[in-house]
Amino acid sequence: MTSSIDGREIQARDGETVLDAARRIGVAIPTLCRGEGTRPDGGCRLCLVEVEGEAGLRAACHTALAAGMRIATRSPRLDALRREILALALHESGDYPFEPDPNGSELARRMSEVGVRTATPTADAPRVIDASHPYLRFERAACIACRRCLHACDEIQGQFVYAMEGRGAATRLVFGLGDSFAESACVACGACVDACPTGAISDRDRASGETAERSVRSTCGYCGVGCQIDVGARGDRVVRIDGARDAAVNRGHLCVKGRYAHGYREAADRLTRPLVREGGRLVPVSWDAAIAFAARRLDEIHRRHGPAAVGAMTSSRSTNEAAYLLQKLFRTRFGTNNVDCCARVCHASTAEALRTVTGTGAATTSFADIERARLIVVAGANATEAHPVIGARIKQRALAGVPLIVIDPRRIELADYAAAHLQLRPGTNVALFNALAREILESGSEDRAYLRERCEGADELAAFLATQDLDAAERATGVASATIRAAGRRIGAAGPVLFVHGLGLSELTQGTESVMALANLAMLTGSIGRAGAGLLPLRGQNNVQGNADMGGAPSHLTGYQPVDDASARARVERVWGAPVAATPGATIPEMLEAAARGDLRALWIQGEDVAQSDPNETAVRAALARLDLLIVQELFVSETARYAHLVLPAAAALEQDGTFTNAERRIQRVRAAVPPPGEARPDWRAVQDVARALGCDWRHGDPASVMDEIARVAPRLFGGVRYDRLDGDGLQWPCPDAMHPGTATVHAEGFVRGRGRLSAIAYRPSPEATGAEFPLTLVTGRVLDHYNVGTMTRRTPSVALAPADWLDLHPSDASGLGLADGDRAAVASRWGSTEARVRYTDRVAPGTCFLTFHFPETHANVLTGPQRDPQSDCPEYKVTAVRVTRAQHAQGESR
Ligand SMILES: Nc1nc2c(c(=O)[nH]1)N[C@H]1C(S)=C(S)[C@@H](COP(=O)(O)OP(=O)(O)OC[C@H]3O[C@@H](n4cnc5c(=O)[nH]c(N)nc54)[C@H](O)[C@@H]3O)O[C@H]1N2
Ligand SMILES: Nc1nc2c(c(=O)[nH]1)N[C@H]1C(S)=C(S)[C@@H](COP(=O)(O)OP(=O)(O)OC[C@H]3O[C@@H](n4cnc5c(=O)[nH]c(N)nc54)[C@H](O)[C@@H]3O)O[C@H]1N2
Ligand SMILES: [Mo]
């Protein structure tokens, strides 16, 4: 039976409210308390409607549209009632001078629709606005207690900042200490700002009063989640950034960096002209001179010292097209495979392990599987800080009752919502995962059919695990055997499981093996290739996935085609029209070692600050200092650019066209919302300019043309990728032809390599052993407010949220060392020493401490050492033995 709304026929859908059904057919029922993407509140009563045959009225947001129901949303009675209700709401909220305005805030629009004015507009009253937070603003007088902020905060971010106090007309919103964002648990995601209908909760960008002239859909340039953003721009300025509501990845949500940390663009020290080293100083030159210099010096060094003497690092911060062209330049013009990217120091172990196990070195699954999962394991990933939009989604699932198991040496925020937290010692994943696998087998809950039909190596693994002992696992990991047993049984009993993982598995000397041991668990539970389950590594930078996909790797050409595979080489050579060397080149650590020896002489670094981010900083700086030629493409004179002979000013994410590929293999468009400052140029164009000066016949007019070439070079993964197919939610590779819709779940029809490979892996302790001299284990990582080397976030108001790096110490360790909360501590490892301020926290276990690497003043990487995973060359960032003492001078103040 059809129903109708205002005389228009509509088919009722299961569970749909009258409000949502009306919206579906374009009938707008006025409401104030109903926010986007949150549960109906029902408090405002503005959405009252008439139902034929019923005397009373119903709230459209709380009434399911039943078959045959006939609804009227407008009538003289409803209009009068709405006027009364709205007038009362405004009266109760005081005498704030709200004005009806069809183009104003949501409240102002409602007022003009319903026909209400405030009783006593006192427009001259002084406005009291709390602006103590660097981004958020609160004006109590404009709050009408509609609770939309509360719903957004609870149901989207899961931060529970807001509460209501009092009853009836005295109901008021409360949060933090003294209603101040700065003193609350707020993470500045901005969801409440989006939800607020009156502007009582606002932000710096909106409060500035500057309006956008245009809105450009693009992809956020920070992390690998790949949130879609609508960039409001005016002239050459970004005035505000909104989350795209219709985007699969983020559905309107954003984090503090993506939404607010865009001010770096306009920093006074932003690079606007090429710089060349002259007499020890970097001096501005024209682009023509810069291009000629780059071409001449690269050519000279290549001629004199050969292909092994030159190399490049492609940028995971820039576009696919930029990375593709730079690796192509070095491979074709200089005949070297010395090209790598910072995936090496990030998820190289993950990629290596997944390639070995499944045949594809990337996520087997998609973010949408978070909502389908029945059990979620989060291992070595601090998602609420490093991938906040995904972290919030995981948190919401846990709040909805989906069991969460967190495996992390720190009690990260998600551990607060977890059914179990396995707080292992850093570097002991393999011992723990083996013990969990053993429990799955012991309890007989492995997926036998899946193992038989899809995998290999299960018997060898079982035989190996039978020799392993749970008590030994407890001794190695520090996790009680009873806890391990319970978690193993729970994972086994759950059936297909979603495994979300991060750097706590990858950045270890046993990184590849950690991920392989996790993949054992995924296969024992029949999880890979199934919806709501599988392996979901949270890739790091905005385009680190894409950078490796493009061939920013010494052993693989574009699309993971091995350089030592003759048929792959032949296919690529046909498109490139130039031979490709058959021997793999050097990885980033190998290139730096070669530079230190004087074997590598010319290095082109596209947007990567190795002097700050690579391990064993002292050695890295010595290597950079020895180069005959260092070319750096950058936004700023980074720590690395200080060693450069040529610095090319780059366009940032908000200023260039191209594509980024996110952690779920989704290739999405990046569109310039504003022009780059001064003479800064998109990276891809600068690479092509130098290539042409070196005699390459490259004629790409735009990045779309580069993508067309990429599709021809690696058709199996990208054959169907073209810019005109990337509007909307982009395409997830593999996408082999023009009709292919892209791939959400890989290995669904069986593993790409044939059979999934289980492996028996013995646990090996980290070489960074603690002892009398270095008794504590240091873990390094990130915090919400800053991004990697901080070149961007340190140049935004985010510094007020996190002004420096912290050393997190357990109070029992700290007090034993005579260190008070806030004291400056000296931290020393076998490789170097630095200082940082101590922060007391019981989120680290006694014996473990944690330091971020966001500030060059701290330069945490003087502490980390040269050890690396033998399979992936990924550094041991997560385990360093250190000694912490009181710093010589200072107490409390930062330097
Ligand atoms: N705010 C913010 N977001 C970012 C970044 C940023 O700098 N700031 N950087 C981006 C980049 S490049 C990346 S790669 C991602 C990284 O995102 P994550 O992988 O989440 O990064 P980390 O915080 O470095 O490390 C994750 C967790 O591993 C844990 N861990 C350490 N050792 C071990 C271990 O032996 N076993 C286990 N199981 N866990 C361990 C740490 O305690 C930490 O909580 O974030 C991206 N997003
Ligand atoms: N101790 C310790 N060290 C670590 C880690 C750790 O956990 N602990 N994590 C490691 C990981 S996972 C990573 S990924 C690395 C990251 O290390 P990096 O790659 O060095 O750091 P980022 O801050 O991501 O960005 C590098 C530079 O790119 C520039 N940039 C941004 N956008 C663009 C652009 O569009 N074009 C160009 N040309 N440049 C641009 C920025 O200005 C910045 O200076 O750090 C690693 N270092
Ligand atoms: Mo990373």
Side-chain angles (χ1 to χ4, degrees):
M1 226 187 326
T2 41
S3 320
S4 75
I5 298 178
D6 290 349
R8 293 177 53 186
E9 299 216 325
I10 176 169
Q11 215 65 42
R13 288 184 189 168
D14 219 22
E16 196 177 30
T17 63
V18 171
L19 184 69
D20 291 335
R23 278 187 189 169
R24 174 152 66 83
I25 58 167
V27 175
I29 302 175
T31 166
L32 263 187
C33 68
R34 176 65 201 273
E36 290 260 4
T38 51
R39 282 197 306 268
D41 179 272
C44 79
R45 313 316 281 178
L46 214 55
C47 69
L48 289 175
V49 293
E50 292 171 351
V51 181
E52 197 178 88
E54 290 183 11
L57 301 171
R58 299 242 216 150
C61 70
H62 266 285
T63 305
L65 180 67
M69 235 182 203
R70 314 196 78 75
I71 306 286
T73 77
R74 302 295 304 265
S75 75
R77 172 167 76 144
L78 287 175
D79 289 352
L81 251 175
R82 289 196 184 121
R83 265 195 303 278
E84 245 171 72
I85 292 170
L86 193 52
L88 191 69
L90 294 173
H91 177 73
E92 282 180 355
S93 72
D95 54 2
Y96 191 83
F98 291 119
E99 286 291 344
D101 178 353
N103 303 311
S105 71
E106 207 175 319
L107 178 73
R109 295 202 299 275
R110 285 304 94 78
M111 288 170 73
S112 74
E113 279 160 32
V114 172
V116 174
R117 310 190 69 81
T118 20
T120 49
T122 49
D124 298 335
R127 293 176 65 181
V128 184
I129 300 175
D130 174 25
S132 57
H133 189 278
Y135 296 123
L136 297 172
R137 301 286 178 267
F138 182 58
E139 185 175 12
R140 149 102 31 226
C143 174
I144 57 167
C146 71
R147 303 155 62 99
R148 267 167 65 166
C149 53
L150 182 147
H151 284 288
C153 190
D154 295 3
E155 296 164 30
I156 297 173
Q157 180 61 36
Q159 211 61 25
F160 305 98
V161 167
Y162 300 106
M164 304 307 292
E165 190 183 78
R167 319 186 61 155
T171 308
R172 68 198 288 277
L173 181 72
V174 291
F175 59 98
L177 288 170
D179 298 332
S180 134
F181 288 111
E183 296 157 293
S184 75
C186 174
V187 291
C189 73
C192 56
V193 177
D194 277 345
C196 180
T198 71
I201 300 174
S202 184
D203 59 32
R204 188 175 184 267
D205 291 341
R206 287 164 214 234
S208 75
E210 232 182 325
T211 51
E213 295 167 333
R214 57 187 185 278
S215 172
V216 179
R217 174 66 55 91
S218 193
T219 305
C220 179
Y222 280 107
C223 82
V225 174
C227 291
Q228 293 299 289
I229 50 178
D230 288 323
V231 187
R234 184 176 190 84
D236 61 359
R237 290 178 36 79
V238 168
V239 300
R240 73 184 245 192
I241 295 180
D242 291 300
R245 291 220 174 272
D246 54 349
V249 168
N250 56 309
R251 307 165 192 164
H253 199 31
L254 286 176
C255 80
V256 57
K257 295 179 298 302
R259 194 186 291 263
Y260 296 126
H262 53 78
Y264 66 87
R265 281 198 59 244
E266 297 177 4
D269 58 349
R270 180 75 195 272
L271 287 168
T272 56
R273 298 186 60 188
L275 305 174
V276 156
R277 181 163 302 279
E278 255 173 38
R281 284 178 46 242
L282 287 168
V283 296
V285 290
S286 70
W287 268 101
D288 285 347
I291 292 163
F293 175 84
R296 177 172 57 77
R297 290 294 291 135
L298 282 168
D299 193 43
E300 278 169 10
I301 293 170
H302 176 245
R303 272 168 202 261
R304 184 168 317 166
H305 302 286
V310 298
M313 298 182 196
T314 56
S315 177
S316 301
R317 305 305 307 280
S318 195
T319 59
N320 281 318
E321 293 73 11
Y324 169 79
L325 290 181
L326 188 59
Q327 59 88 37
K328 177 183 169 187
L329 175 66
F330 276 72
R331 288 195 152 118
T332 56
R333 178 61 174 73
F334 300 124
T336 181
N337 283 313
N338 286 346
V339 287
D340 205 4
C341 75
C342 71
R344 182 69 48 208
V345 299
C346 180
H347 270 289
S349 312
T350 309
E352 183 63 32
L354 295 183
R355 195 156 43 230
T356 307
V357 170
T358 71
T360 303
T364 72
T365 175
S366 300
F367 294 149
D369 290 289
I370 293 167
E371 280 75 25
R372 297 191 202 114
R374 283 176 290 176
L375 175 90
I376 304 177
V377 173
V378 178
N382 182 17
T384 57
E385 298 202 64
H387 301 87
V389 166
I390 293 308
R393 279 170 67 176
I394 296 172
K395 209 195 309 182
Q396 288 300 333
R397 295 317 294 153
L399 288 164
V402 174
L404 182 65
I405 295 180
V406 170
I407 304 177
D408 200 297
R410 298 187 302 144
R411 188 162 54 76
I412 55 171
E413 188 193 358
L414 282 177
D416 298 345
Y417 299 84
H421 175 206
L422 310 186
Q423 196 165 9
L424 78 177
R425 286 197 190 97
T428 63
N429 295 306
V430 173
L432 182 65
F433 297 160
N434 282 345
L436 292 170
R438 192 187 138 98
E439 286 307 309
I440 294 174
L441 289 169
E442 287 237 313
S443 58
S445 54
E446 75 275 19
D447 188 336
R448 287 197 202 96
Y450 182 94
L451 292 171
R452 191 174 54 241
E453 285 155 25
R454 299 200 188 200
C455 304
E456 65 189 27
D459 294 341
E460 293 82 345
L461 175 63
F464 165 72
L465 292 175
T467 68
Q468 302 292 298
D469 163 46
L470 197 54
D471 293 330
E474 171 171 331
R475 284 193 300 278
T477 63
V479 183
S481 54
T483 311
I484 300 177
R485 169 162 294 151
R489 304 212 162 205
R490 189 158 197 165
I491 293 171
V497 171
L498 181 64
F499 295 89
V500 177
H501 50 115
L503 296 181
L505 269 52
S506 178
E507 290 179 342
L508 298 165
T509 43
Q510 222 177 356
T512 306
E513 292 177 334
S514 291
V515 180
M516 289 175 73
L518 186 77
N520 284 343
L521 298 177
M523 286 180 283
L524 288 173
T525 49
S527 304
I528 298 176
R530 297 238 169 105
L535 293 164
L536 185 57
L538 296 179
R539 300 300 306 258
Q541 292 148 307
N542 50 323
N543 197 39
V544 65
Q545 178 69 56
N547 202 354
D549 298 347
M550 291 302 111
S555 51
H556 290 87
L557 306 171
T558 313
Y560 301 99
Q561 307 181 79
V563 293
D564 47 15
D565 172 339
S567 68
R569 265 199 329 277
R571 177 167 46 238
V572 175
E573 285 167 349
R574 264 198 303 282
V575 183
W576 285 353
V580 174
T583 42
T587 61
I588 288 178
E590 288 168 351
M591 282 196 261
L592 291 171
E593 284 166 3
R597 289 193 306 269
D599 293 340
L600 186 92
R601 289 165 178 268
L603 183 60
W604 182 324
I605 301 183
Q606 191 175 58
E608 195 175 333
D609 195 6
V610 289
Q612 198 185 336
S613 56
D614 274 20
N616 200 7
E617 183 184 306
T618 316
V620 172
R621 287 180 184 263
L624 293 176
R626 256 207 97 170
L627 289 165
D628 294 340
L629 175 66
L630 176 62
I631 301 175
V632 174
Q633 283 179 290
E634 253 298 343
L635 311 182
F636 297 98
V637 180
S638 62
E639 294 300 301
T640 304
R642 291 181 200 287
Y643 295 87
H645 303 92
L646 174 67
V647 184
L648 301 175
L654 296 160
E655 303 157 356
Q656 62 174 332
D657 286 305
T659 55
F660 295 156
T661 307
N662 81 351
E664 45 168 12
R665 297 165 279 100
R666 194 186 292 277
I667 304 167
Q668 304 188 107
R669 276 300 311 274
V670 180
R671 297 183 186 83
V674 282
E679 296 173 18
R681 259 181 215 184
D683 294 301
W684 76 269
R685 186 172 285 286
V687 175
Q688 173 164 285
D689 292 340
V690 174
R692 291 173 64 100
L694 281 160
C696 304
D697 182 25
W698 295 6
R699 296 156 186 269
H700 295 293
D702 56 23
S705 147
V706 182
M707 183 55 83
D708 292 343
E709 183 178 314
I710 293 166
R712 284 191 289 131
V713 170
R716 200 171 60 79
L717 296 189
F718 312 121
V721 179
R722 288 204 335 242
Y723 270 31
D724 57 12
R725 295 190 67 200
L726 294 178
D727 289 338
D729 289 318
L731 284 168
Q732 284 176 278
W733 65 254
C735 177
D737 60 67
M739 301 312 289
H740 195 284
T743 309
T745 308
V746 196
H747 318 292
E749 319 291 332
F751 283 89
V752 168
R753 76 179 285 273
R755 281 179 168 268
R757 178 169 145 196
L758 294 123
S759 311
I761 300 161
Y763 161 66
R764 293 180 283 111
S766 165
E768 281 285 327
T770 51
E773 201 185 345
F774 300 106
L776 294 172
T777 300
L778 172 73
V779 174
T780 57
R782 22 194 67 71
V783 292
L784 173 68
D785 296 305
H786 286 295
Y787 194 83
N788 287 351
V789 301
T791 33
M792 292 153 82
T793 49
R794 275 188 284 113
R795 290 177 171 88
T796 68
S798 297
V799 280
L801 297 168
D805 287 322
W806 290 99
L807 177 71
D808 282 351
L809 265 183
H810 193 275
S812 67
D813 285 334
S815 56
L817 296 163
L819 283 161
D821 195 23
D823 276 357
R824 279 199 79 74
V827 192
S829 73
R830 296 183 175 94
W831 314 101
S833 61
T834 184
E835 291 183 7
R837 276 221 284 174
V838 168
R839 182 165 63 183
Y840 273 34
T841 175
D842 58 5
R843 291 194 177 266
V844 294
T848 306
C849 53
F850 178 81
L851 181 62
T852 42
F853 69 107
H854 299 309
F855 287 79
E857 294 81 1
T858 319
H859 58 140
N861 279 318
V862 291
L863 299 169
T864 53
Q867 295 100 332
R868 358 194 249 262
D869 179 319
Q871 278 139 291
S872 69
D873 242 3
C874 187
E876 180 95 311
Y877 284 126
K878 294 295 185 249
V879 186
T880 306
V882 295
R883 176 177 63 237
V884 176
T885 51
R886 268 178 82 82
Q888 278 299 296
H889 320 287
Q891 193 174 3
E893 92 270 38
S894 53
R895 65 175 193 190

